[in-house]
Amino acid sequence: MSGPRCPQCAQPCVSPRLLPCLHSLCEPCLRRLGPPEGPPGAARPVLCPVCDAEVSLPAGGVGQLPPDCLAGSRAGAAAGCDLCADGAAAGRCLTCGVRLCRFCCRAHRRQKKTASHAVTELESTKDCSQAGKPLLCPSHPTEELRLFCEQCDQPVCRDCVLGRHRQHPCDFTGNVIHRHGDALRGLLRSSQQHMDTLEDVLSQVDEMGSAVRSRAEAVAAEICQFAGGYVKAIEEHRDRLLKQLEDMKVQKENLLHLQKAQLQQLLLDMRTGVEFTEHLLMSGSDVEILVTKGVVSSRLTKLNSIAYSTHPSVDDRIQFSPHERAGQCCGYEVFGAILNKVVDPARCTLHGEDLHSARQNQLSGFTLLCKDTMGERMGQGGEAVRVTITHKDKRDCALKPTVCDNGDGTYCISYSPEEPGLYAVCVCVKGQHVQGSPFTLMVRHKFREHQGVFHCCTFCSSGGQKAAHCACGGTMPGGYQGCGHGHKGHPGCHHWSCCGQVKESSECLCGPPSDTSQRSLVRTVAL
């Protein structure tokens, strides 16, 4: 029964080893990959002949790659009998460690020399894998790998534990397989979720390709219908428009094809990693799982960290405007142009006096100016504009701004803050921040409480001097005389705060001119 074959040389695998991309090659082919050996102790980059991924061979050479313990079972090769080599393995002698077919199992039990040996039957694929010859330590070829070094993260034998792993925490593989297997299963579930997402995105890409083609055909029909009214000039103008449309369609399709190819490759890599990991966890023995755990974890982690867009890279925005002036064609002024201006959020700008400051309970606002990828103003509206204004200290305090589309590429954003303080403002177009977003907005009190000790007669007793100071240190603006120093036609004394506001009374609140007592006042004044 033929064993697994190397995908590079198509010959039966000789000492197959795993690359970081989880593809298996025989050791002779691995030694022939890539450039000649580099400096001693340096990793060597090579291209995997299966997936064309660039991988690095360990500094120690091909021999440092983990062996592919499950190459035979992945290729569908059943384990054979170690005694007769004619039948498939149906059992294993726990004393001798050999695989036995059903006939040899019965013979093994009948022979006097081996009658006392314990023979167990193999019931599953995983049992068949475990029925293989024990994995021996590369440093001590006579010792079986039965222990696992936590510090070095690798299976070891008894002699290794007594040697260079003496001070390292070690345990039997059967005791640690559950924890490491669970970690691999967690990575496997994450990869499976990415596969589902990638398949959905690829479906969306295909649908968008159809939408682009359908839209292009519809626009082409509009162009042909519009051009029928003119003779030579319009026909030439029509051909020019169709060429422009074709170029635009090809450009969009090329971008979609590129995205599709990248997503398909990522999905293929994900599927390879998932299938390999699933097979490893289902069919691999404890030691086999631990031997390949490192490279599998590294590969799945790397694949899971690759960023990809969950939406098609282009949209089907292709519009034809029959009333747009298109210049001269064969001496005739023609109309009709394809509108392909796309808003660029990074070039959109914000304007207005209330952009960074506002006042409590007062209507404020600013203007958003949308521009295309060339930095030119969009002459039309209809963009998806989203504005959020959230209090930085009170997370449950958020404003509900109003966005008004002016239809000329500008949008008026208005709001009325109820709480003073510092706000975070985010302005997004098509889900992306515009230039300068996010930014901070300071909302000030409409009124503030002024607390101070005022000498009631400070202004009056100063004879109306503008340089008079309040007890709090503020200058008293004005120039009136009052109280016993002579009211000049005013109904009462003007009491000024250092904030410049006046409080009038029909009666003088100062008392006689000789009354220079200080009175504590708490007044709320407008800023």
Side-chain angles (χ1 to χ4, degrees), residues 237-248:
H237 181 52
R238 177 196 60 191
D239 296 338
R240 184 173 61 187
L241 290 174
L242 290 174
K243 176 62 169 60
Q244 181 183 355
L245 176 64
E246 182 64 22
D247 293 342
M248 191 182 307

Side-chain angles (χ1 to χ4, degrees), residues 301-316:
T301 301
K302 180 179 179 181
L303 290 175
N304 293 339
S305 64
I306 296 177
Y308 55 88
S309 174
T310 57
H311 302 284
S313 57
V314 299
D315 54 27
D316 60 344

Side-chain angles (χ1 to χ4, degrees), residues 217-231 234-235 237-239 241-242 320 322 335-336:
E217 293 173 359
V219 173
E222 292 180 18
I223 294 173
C224 292
Q225 181 179 2
F226 170 73
Y230 290 86
V231 188
I234 299 303
E235 290 179 349
H237 181 52
R238 177 196 60 191
D239 296 338
L241 290 174
L242 290 174
F320 174 65
F335 293 82

Side-chain angles (χ1 to χ4, degrees), residues 20-23 51 53 187-199 202 262-279 296-308:
C21 61
L22 303 185
H23 289 119
C51 65
L187 286 172
L188 176 62
R189 287 192 294 270
S190 178
S191 298
Q192 290 170 333
Q193 292 175 358
H194 282 294
M195 287 180 59
D196 295 338
T197 304
L198 286 168
E199 290 174 349
L202 283 171
Q262 293 172 343
L263 293 173
Q264 285 177 332
Q265 182 61 49
L266 180 57
L267 179 60
L268 179 61
D269 294 341
M270 286 281 189
R271 182 175 287 113
T272 299
V274 167
E275 292 175 353
F276 181 89
T277 307
E278 287 177 338
H279 184 74
V296 173
S297 299
S298 176
R299 179 59 173 171
L300 292 183
T301 301
K302 180 179 179 181
L303 290 175
N304 293 339
S305 64
I306 296 177
Y308 55 88

Side-chain angles (χ1 to χ4, degrees), residues 126 130 173-195 273-290 292-294 296-298 300-301 304:
K126 188 161 185 173
Q130 292 175 337
T173 56
N175 297 336
V176 301
I177 184 61
H178 300 292
R179 176 161 47 86
H180 293 282
D182 290 341
L184 280 180
R185 292 184 185 91
L187 286 172
L188 176 62
R189 287 192 294 270
S190 178
S191 298
Q192 290 170 333
Q193 292 175 358
H194 282 294
M195 287 180 59
V274 167
E275 292 175 353
F276 181 89
T277 307
E278 287 177 338
H279 184 74
L280 174 65
L281 294 174
M282 291 177 58
S283 304
S285 65
D286 298 346
V287 176
E288 290 167 347
I289 293 176
L290 294 173
T292 55
K293 176 189 72 69
V296 173
S297 299
S298 176
L300 292 183
T301 301
N304 293 339

Side-chain angles (χ1 to χ4, degrees), residues 54-126:
E54 182 175 327
V55 296
S56 296
L57 295 182
V62 174
Q64 297 298 316
L65 290 172
D68 188 0
C69 308
L70 302 178
S73 60
R74 282 201 312 278
C81 178
D82 289 337
L83 296 184
C84 65
D86 291 334
R92 179 187 181 189
C93 178
L94 301 181
T95 306
C96 303
V98 295
R99 294 171 297 194
L100 303 171
C101 64
R102 296 191 181 279
F103 177 81
C104 291
C105 282
R106 292 191 294 270
H108 208 66
R109 293 189 180 100
R110 288 198 303 269
Q111 291 180 5
K112 184 177 181 180
K113 186 177 181 180
T114 59
S116 61
H117 291 191
V119 178
T120 182
E121 293 186 358
L122 305 180
E123 298 180 353
S124 64
T125 306
K126 188 161 185 173

Side-chain angles (χ1 to χ4, degrees), residues 205-441:
V205 170
D206 290 335
E207 292 176 359
M208 184 55 67
S210 300
V212 169
R213 289 188 291 272
S214 299
R215 186 61 182 158
E217 293 173 359
V219 173
E222 292 180 18
I223 294 173
C224 292
Q225 181 179 2
F226 170 73
Y230 290 86
V231 188
K232 183 178 179 179
I234 299 303
E235 290 179 349
E236 182 176 335
H237 181 52
R238 177 196 60 191
D239 296 338
R240 184 173 61 187
L241 290 174
L242 290 174
K243 176 62 169 60
Q244 181 183 355
L245 176 64
E246 182 64 22
D247 293 342
M248 191 182 307
K249 183 188 73 172
V250 170
Q251 180 183 12
K252 288 180 177 288
E253 287 184 330
N254 288 341
L255 292 175
L256 289 173
H257 289 327
L258 176 61
Q259 184 185 17
K260 182 176 180 179
Q262 293 172 343
L263 293 173
Q264 285 177 332
Q265 182 61 49
L266 180 57
L267 179 60
L268 179 61
D269 294 341
M270 286 281 189
R271 182 175 287 113
T272 299
V274 167
E275 292 175 353
F276 181 89
T277 307
E278 287 177 338
H279 184 74
L280 174 65
L281 294 174
M282 291 177 58
S283 304
S285 65
D286 298 346
V287 176
E288 290 167 347
I289 293 176
L290 294 173
V291 166
T292 55
K293 176 189 72 69
V295 64
V296 173
S297 299
S298 176
R299 179 59 173 171
L300 292 183
T301 301
K302 180 179 179 181
L303 290 175
N304 293 339
S305 64
I306 296 177
Y308 55 88
S309 174
T310 57
H311 302 284
S313 57
V314 299
D315 54 27
D316 60 344
R317 180 175 295 186
I318 305 177
Q319 297 179 347
F320 174 65
S321 176
H323 304 292
E324 190 81 8
R325 293 181 179 272
Q328 296 287 326
C329 183
C330 296
Y332 294 90
E333 184 179 8
V334 292
F335 293 82
I338 297 176
L339 303 179
N340 63 338
K341 294 181 69 173
V342 179
V343 66
D344 185 357
R347 294 180 179 270
C348 298
T349 55
L350 300 170
H351 307 273
E353 297 180 355
D354 298 333
L355 192 58
H356 295 285
S357 62
R359 200 168 299 283
Q360 181 184 10
N361 294 325
Q362 290 187 6
L363 184 63
S364 304
F366 54 89
T367 301
L368 167 65
L369 175 59
C370 289
K371 299 181 180 180
D372 61 10
T373 54
M374 302 301 295
E376 297 179 356
R377 174 174 172 172
M378 297 287 294
Q380 56 189 8
E383 301 296 340
V385 178
R386 182 173 61 88
V387 182
T388 60
I389 306 177
T390 308
H391 202 291
K392 282 198 168 185
D393 297 326
K394 302 177 182 179
R395 294 301 180 185
D396 57 343
C397 178
L399 306 183
K400 294 183 179 180
T402 301
V403 180
C404 178
D405 186 352
N406 297 326
D408 58 355
T410 62
Y411 301 81
C412 293
I413 295 95
S414 57
Y415 57 93
S416 180
E418 296 181 358
E419 292 288 338
L422 194 62
Y423 287 77
V425 183
C426 296
V427 182
C428 297
V429 175
K430 296 175 64 176
Q432 301 181 31
H433 286 280
V434 302
Q435 189 179 126
S437 174
F439 60 92
T440 57
L441 168 69

